[in-house]
């Protein structure tokens, strides 16, 4: 089961995101990271089965991008 929290989009979108992983900051969601890295949320969910709650990432949690 998923629950969703909506927030303003961050303006820190990256043009060329080349890392394989991102480390979550406090308060970030998978939606924030997907937007920042210009990725699809569903793709990040598939790549990160260890993430139980996509709107409640733990600070320091690593998110695989590819």
């Amino acid at each position: 089961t998923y629950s969703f929290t909506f927030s303003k989009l961050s303006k820190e979108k990256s043009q060329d995101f080349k890392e394989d992983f991102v480390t979550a900051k406090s308060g970030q969601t998978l939606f924030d990271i997907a937007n920042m890295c210009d990725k699809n949320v569903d793709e990040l969910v598939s790549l990160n089965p260890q993430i139980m709650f996509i709107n409640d990432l733990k600070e320091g949690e690593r998110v695989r991008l590819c």
Side-chain angles (χ1 to χ4, degrees):
T1 304
Y2 293 107
S3 69
F4 300 94
T5 302
F6 296 95
S7 60
K8 282 186 165 182
L9 294 176
S10 171
K11 293 190 181 201
E12 63 178 67
K13 195 169 190 174
S14 171
Q15 288 97 351
D16 293 319
F17 217 88
K18 297 182 181 180
E19 286 107 32
D20 292 338
F21 289 90
V22 168
T23 302
K25 297 177 186 170
S26 178
Q28 275 188 321
T29 67
L30 206 56
F31 297 102
D32 297 330
I33 291 174
N35 180 57
M36 181 178 73
C37 302
D38 200 27
K39 297 283 185 180
N40 181 299
V41 174
D42 292 330
E43 181 182 1
L44 294 184
V45 168
S46 295
L47 290 168
N48 296 279
Q50 78 283 4
I51 296 177
M52 300 300 290
F53 303 103
I54 62 175
N55 66 335
D56 188 26
L57 298 176
K58 295 177 180 77
E59 185 173 2
E61 188 167 10
R62 292 184 68 190
V63 178
R64 179 182 287 278
L65 301 177
C66 57

